[in-house]
Amino acid sequence: AIQKDKLSITIDEYLSIFMFIIVRSKIGDLEAHLHLVESFVDEFSLYQSREGQIFLTVQQATHFLRELDEERL
């Protein structure tokens, strides 16, 4: 059985999972979709809700992937 109290991941692992999902999903114009969602969401929902935290994580992962330089890998 899985012991939930011992199940944890670091923020780096969490972000890596999101980057993997973004790359594999091949969503066209993801940044445009994120911008559209951001324009309709109030600040409280964006910064205080679980969904908002996930949204910001996707946004950060997308930004990181956009700025990724193959030569630095």
Side-chain angles (χ1 to χ4, degrees):
I2 296 176
Q3 297 176 346
K4 292 182 181 180
D5 60 326
K6 294 186 179 183
L7 182 63
S8 65
I9 61 173
T10 66
I11 190 65
D12 291 332
E13 293 167 331
Y14 188 69
L15 193 58
S16 295
I17 291 167
F18 273 83
M19 287 187 288
F20 176 80
I21 292 168
I22 289 168
V23 169
R24 294 290 299 221
S25 66
K26 300 178 183 175
I27 298 173
D29 294 327
L30 179 58
E31 289 181 287
H33 293 294
L34 292 172
H35 188 270
L36 181 66
V37 169
E38 188 175 28
S39 66
F40 286 102
V41 175
D42 62 276
E43 196 168 298
F44 176 81
S45 297
L46 193 59
Y47 295 110
Q48 300 295 323
S49 70
R50 179 174 171 82
E51 293 83 4
Q53 292 174 356
I54 292 171
F55 174 80
L56 291 173
T57 303
V58 171
Q59 203 173 38
Q60 291 298 321
T62 302
H63 176 76
F64 179 84
L65 290 169
R66 183 183 64 236
E67 299 297 318
L68 193 61
D69 184 1
E70 286 184 29
E71 293 179 13
R72 294 177 55 194
L73 295 177

